[in-house]
Amino acid sequence: MNNETKIAYFSMEIGLSNDIPTYSGGLGVLAGDTIKSCADLKIPLVAVTLISKKGYFRQDIDSSGRQTESPIHWDPSKFMIRISKRVMVFIEGRKVFIQAWSYKIKSITGGEVDVLYLDTDVEENTSEDREITAVLYGGDDSYRLKQEVVLGIGGVRMLRALGYHIKKYHMNEGHASLLTLELLLKNKRDVESVWHEQWVWDFDAVKDLCVFTTHTPIEAGHDRFSYDLVKKVLGDIVPLEQLKKLGGEKYLDMTLLALNLSEYVNGVAKKHGEVSKNLFPGYEIYAITNGVHSFTWTCQSFKQLYDKYIPGWANEPELFVRAETIPDSELWQTHLSAKKDLIEYVKEATSIELDPHVLTIGFARRFTSYKRADLLFLDMEQLLHICEKGKLQVIYAGKAHPKDGPGKDIIKKINDLVKINNDKIKIIFLKDYNIKMALKLISGVDVWLNTPQRPREASGTSGMKASHNGVINFSILDGWWIEGHIEGITGWSIGPKPTESSLTIVNDKTDAEDLYNKLENIIIPMYYHDQDQWIKVMKNSIGKIAYYFNSHRMMRRYVTEAYLS
Ligand SMILES: *Cc1c(COP(=O)(O)O)cnc(C)c1O
């Protein structure tokens, strides 16, 4: 069954459905969308990730408005099949056995992709080792490194044990970089130089096999481990001086390791490609801008609308270019239906009743400082003044990493604002953001807001999801929005145009001023007084954004530029 040569796609997190909580945010959902497009397009690919049996975490909000976390308990056997094959890796000198769960994504086109979830929770392992694949992004450096050993080294061994023939290994972010070492050891030519008595390593053979996608536009975002820890966990599978040449002198930098051993490297938006080139001078770094899986990220009412006016859209999202053919009134009714669906959802979750006729803004993503979820509230007085021109409803959702203090503070801040009782603005925070809620939000609001600090949003994808449902983007010009934005035509920008690739000085005040200005003078007036124009922008969101920012287009580019080259 595994005779066909395949691409192996490695990702620490994969978000395929709400029932399988093995993701934390955009990176995992992108991986899920990638896999779904491969199934639709019959791209021969097998995916490898960790089972994360306690998920990332379940988020609650306590009475003081702060995030609390608890483990998620889910049962893989309800969704996937356990494979009896086991492989072994050495961790801290112990044998650690790994099993895998297989989950098959089947497309109605007949395509199929197997997703392998690696799991160390087997009887032969010590109780500590059984926990290695329990919590996504949990624990300390040592725990993370062990997870990466299981993913990278264990993953390659599992594919081999299952008889896969792999043409390319695609690392989605640096968490899987250790796979390069496993490939290196396998490719090490058993030639002992007579003169130097050194091994000859076949770097080119490994490079030929590897594709690396980086997702982080700043230095501090990259995984790195001290060599003491590496030695403790990994032993000396690769001689230290050799490893330092590949992964850095001071510490093992997983991005550097992948960069040094991949023939093809890319960033996830054009701007991010440039930023990455500046971060890593001397490396050729290309750019393939992200996309989202159209069928997954289109809500029920819009699916019906597209089936009627743009048949074939799901497997050929280029057809969205014909969004113009949808009658205005039907588009609006379809949007209202999605909006009412969201309002119902909010009522069930919070007992708060929103008004379908009030301009509704959505903001949902990981809560981390650079995303500036609270930028809208920088000047509360001014915001309240603006709302006299037209009422506003704002819905927030998102988790902060358990160790991200500043991110958690922003969650508290938003939850404090929820309590302000004002008839001009209603603020909602929905707890425990997940894939299902994301679909409700990105389809049910009128405007999708994104306010990251430039240039830290490598791509961003939730705005692409919004555009699939005629929701209009209002965002800082960073990541994908630089490519999707045409002012007043496809949506609106916030703040200045991006000029240089280096970290620009953060100016919350300038950005907030522009946000308030456009809200007051363009967005609120158009929403309440010029519906024809509003619907035009909605159609452009579909016809000029969704048609391009989808994962079918993205995967065709990976095939021709990264996999087949
Ligand atoms: C799409 C998605 C994200 C990514 O959102 P960004 O705005 O691109 O950061 C995060 N979490 C979930 C659940 C998503 O569906």
Side-chain angles (χ1 to χ4, degrees):
M1 76 171 193
N2 296 326
N3 279 336
E4 192 185 11
T5 306
K6 286 195 158 71
I7 308 299
Y9 182 79
F10 281 67
S11 186
M12 183 81 137
E13 51 171 308
I14 294 182
L16 280 166
S17 85
N18 214 50
D19 296 327
I20 304 176
T22 61
Y23 63 93
S24 89
L27 182 74
V29 175
L30 175 81
D33 285 3
T34 294
I35 290 162
K36 288 173 192 168
S37 276
C38 285
D40 291 342
L41 298 170
K42 301 184 184 172
I43 296 169
L45 182 136
V46 54
V48 180
T49 187
L50 303 182
I51 192 76
S52 302
K53 261 185 196 152
K54 293 179 186 164
Y56 181 45
F57 64 87
R58 185 180 311 288
Q59 179 194 53
D60 261 303
I61 303 297
D62 69 16
S63 55
S64 73
R66 296 202 72 87
Q67 165 179 304
T68 60
E69 302 105 23
S70 54
I72 299 172
H73 294 284
W74 69 286
D75 181 2
S77 70
K78 279 197 183 140
F79 309 101
M80 11 186 126
I81 292 168
R82 198 163 60 114
I83 299 173
S84 55
K85 247 324 175 261
R86 301 230 166 134
V87 296
M88 191 267 288
V89 293
F90 274 103
I91 289 177
E92 292 174 343
R94 293 186 302 279
K95 287 180 178 172
V96 174
F97 294 90
I98 304 167
Q99 65 177 1
W101 298 82
S102 158
Y103 182 78
K104 284 193 168 47
I105 285 285
K106 290 183 181 153
S107 166
I108 54 164
T109 64
E112 188 176 302
V113 171
D114 199 5
V115 186
L116 300 170
Y117 292 82
L118 304 175
D119 181 6
T120 59
D121 186 13
V122 297
E123 270 175 22
E124 297 92 318
N125 291 335
T126 65
S127 53
E128 189 193 337
D129 291 340
R130 290 176 77 155
E131 289 287 308
I132 292 175
T133 54
V135 186
L136 178 64
Y137 304 132
D140 55 9
D141 273 6
S142 168
Y143 186 73
R144 174 73 67 90
L145 182 57
K146 289 175 189 173
Q147 288 191 325
E148 297 189 7
V149 171
V150 170
L151 178 66
I153 297 174
V156 172
R157 291 182 185 173
M158 182 59 77
L159 291 172
R160 240 182 241 140
L162 296 176
Y164 278 100
H165 300 285
I166 301 301
K167 178 187 163 66
K168 294 276 183 192
Y169 292 83
H170 185 172
M171 292 168 267
N172 186 42
E173 192 50 303
H175 308 119
S177 299
L178 292 175
L179 73 81
T180 58
L181 300 185
E182 174 68 6
L183 297 177
L184 206 51
L185 292 168
K186 202 62 186 174
N187 280 280
K188 187 174 70 172
R189 287 194 226 121
D190 289 51
V191 181
E192 235 171 318
S193 155
V194 180
W195 302 105
H196 305 100
E197 296 215 319
Q198 278 178 350
W199 293 108
V200 176
W201 301 83
D202 197 346
F203 295 124
D204 288 340
V206 172
K207 280 185 80 164
D208 232 22
L209 282 169
C210 292
V211 171
F212 173 49
T213 301
T214 175
H215 291 262
T216 316
I218 54 151
E219 196 66 60
H222 299 275
D223 256 1
R224 51 175 65 144
F225 302 102
S226 79
Y227 280 109
D228 283 346
L229 180 66
V230 171
K231 205 166 162 48
K232 182 165 168 263
V233 171
L234 269 169
D236 39 20
I237 56 165
V238 176
L240 200 59
E241 74 276 12
Q242 192 61 260
L243 192 55
K244 285 183 173 178
K245 275 186 210 147
L246 297 167
E249 274 300 318
K250 290 220 294 262
Y251 31 70
L252 178 59
D253 182 319
M254 303 304 269
T255 299
L256 208 55
L257 180 62
L259 279 172
N260 280 324
L261 287 166
S262 298
E263 189 67 44
Y264 183 91
V265 180
N266 73 291
V268 288
K270 288 191 197 328
K271 172 77 168 178
H272 178 237
E274 286 168 30
V275 171
S276 302
K277 260 191 247 178
N278 289 345
L279 261 185
F280 301 101
Y283 292 92
E284 188 67 78
I285 301 178
Y286 302 93
I288 296 179
T289 303
N290 281 341
V292 299
H293 189 249
S294 300
F295 189 76
T296 299
W297 294 110
T298 300
C299 72
Q300 203 50 44
S301 62
F302 268 90
K303 276 179 178 159
Q304 283 164 4
L305 183 76
Y306 294 151
D307 281 346
K308 185 168 169 193
Y309 290 101
I310 314 178
W313 62 278
N315 207 34
E316 206 179 337
E318 296 89 333
L319 291 172
F320 282 137
V321 78
R322 298 185 53 74
E324 212 71 68
T325 59
I326 302 168
D328 284 9
S329 58
E330 273 186 71
L331 185 79
W332 187 252
Q333 285 312 315
T334 304
H335 172 61
L336 263 187
S337 155
K339 194 169 178 181
K340 285 176 181 160
D341 205 34
L342 170 64
I343 287 172
E344 192 57 39
Y345 185 84
V346 169
K347 194 179 162 193
E348 261 170 47
T350 64
S351 318
I352 299 172
E353 188 131 21
L354 296 177
D355 182 344
H357 303 296
V358 169
L359 175 60
T360 304
I361 296 179
F363 183 108
R365 47 184 55 83
R366 288 184 304 118
F367 269 62
T368 174
S369 304
Y370 85 81
K371 301 232 186 199
R372 295 192 295 188
D374 52 349
L375 190 74
L376 180 64
F377 305 114
L378 195 73
D379 185 343
M380 204 60 202
E381 209 174 305
Q382 195 175 346
L383 182 64
L384 288 172
H385 170 73
I386 289 167
C387 294
E388 279 164 18
K389 300 244 167 109
K391 287 185 188 176
L392 217 55
Q393 298 172 150
V394 197
I395 310 178
Y396 283 88
K399 296 174 176 178
H401 186 277
K403 288 184 180 160
D404 181 357
K408 291 167 103 168
D409 289 344
I410 303 176
I411 290 180
K412 156 122 180 92
K413 195 170 159 188
I414 303 281
N415 275 288
D416 287 345
L417 289 167
V418 168
K419 292 174 193 139
I420 60 161
N421 207 355
N422 191 298
D423 62 351
K424 294 191 290 279
I425 185 166
K426 263 203 182 115
I427 300 158
I428 305 272
F429 185 92
L430 297 175
K431 67 174 187 185
D432 207 34
Y433 188 44
N434 57 39
I435 287 176
K436 186 176 160 215
M437 190 193 297
L439 178 59
K440 297 272 185 214
L441 279 169
I442 54 95
S443 60
V445 298
D446 299 299
V447 169
W448 192 249
L449 179 69
N450 194 13
T451 51
Q453 291 171 353
R454 283 169 298 268
R456 298 194 51 176
E457 187 83 314
S459 167
T461 50
S462 62
M464 306 173 186
K465 299 170 190 168
S467 74
H468 275 76
N469 300 276
V471 168
I472 305 175
N473 280 277
F474 181 32
S475 296
I476 296 279
L477 283 169
D478 200 16
W480 80 277
W481 187 230
I482 298 171
E483 295 160 58
H485 159 264
I486 307 169
E487 186 65 20
I489 307 279
T490 60
W492 301 281
S493 64
I494 299 168
K497 282 211 174 78
T499 44
E500 47 187 286
S501 298
S502 59
L503 258 176
T504 45
I505 296 159
V506 179
N507 200 333
D508 292 350
K509 202 156 179 300
T510 316
D511 291 343
E513 279 303 323
D514 199 38
L515 193 166
Y516 293 141
N517 177 32
K518 284 190 182 157
L519 199 55
E520 177 174 9
N521 299 310
I522 299 172
I523 299 174
I524 289 178
M526 193 191 290
Y527 179 83
Y528 285 107
H529 308 297
D530 190 356
Q531 199 181 56
D532 287 352
Q533 188 56 33
W534 188 271
I535 289 172
K536 250 188 205 136
V537 184
M538 285 177 74
K539 282 187 183 174
N540 285 341
S541 199
I542 302 162
K544 294 184 194 296
I545 296 178
Y547 107 99
Y548 181 83
F549 294 94
N550 57 74
S551 49
H552 275 37
R553 184 262 320 151
M554 174 181 81
M555 285 324 292
R556 287 190 171 109
R557 287 198 54 196
Y558 274 106
V559 169
T560 53
E561 289 163 50
Y563 299 163
L564 293 182
S565 63

